[in-house]
Amino acid sequence: MNLPEDMDAFVKAKGNVSSHTARILRRQNFAEEWEVARMRAEAGIVTTASEPAESEDATLERWARVAGR
């Protein structure tokens, strides 16, 4: 993946480039899914974002499994 110099330096400073990049992409995916859930709720379609006491990572992993990723 090619990144602009400033973003390349930012990610490399985090240590594990692949892990950090994957985490950023998961958060973006989560944000997009959350927006879809919000729009569905406004339309009267109820969705659940997470299980009680579920961590963010666990929620992201569960959503990825549901989405078949």
Side-chain angles (χ1 to χ4, degrees):
M1 173 177 5
N2 294 319
L3 296 171
E5 285 184 31
D6 60 332
M7 291 292 98
D8 185 55
F10 171 78
V11 176
K12 285 180 180 174
K14 298 296 181 182
N16 185 333
V17 174
S18 295
S19 176
H20 189 70
T21 303
R23 185 166 181 82
I24 291 168
L25 292 171
R26 283 189 188 106
R27 285 179 183 247
Q28 178 63 35
N29 185 53
F30 181 79
E32 290 171 6
E33 294 290 334
W34 189 260
E35 179 62 15
V36 169
R38 185 191 63 77
M39 290 187 307
R40 290 172 57 101
E42 286 180 5
I45 303 167
V46 179
T47 57
T48 302
S50 65
E51 300 297 326
E54 186 176 46
S55 71
E56 177 187 1
D57 286 340
T59 300
L60 292 172
E61 288 173 13
R62 183 171 54 82
W63 282 29
R65 283 192 309 271
V66 170
R69 297 181 189 154

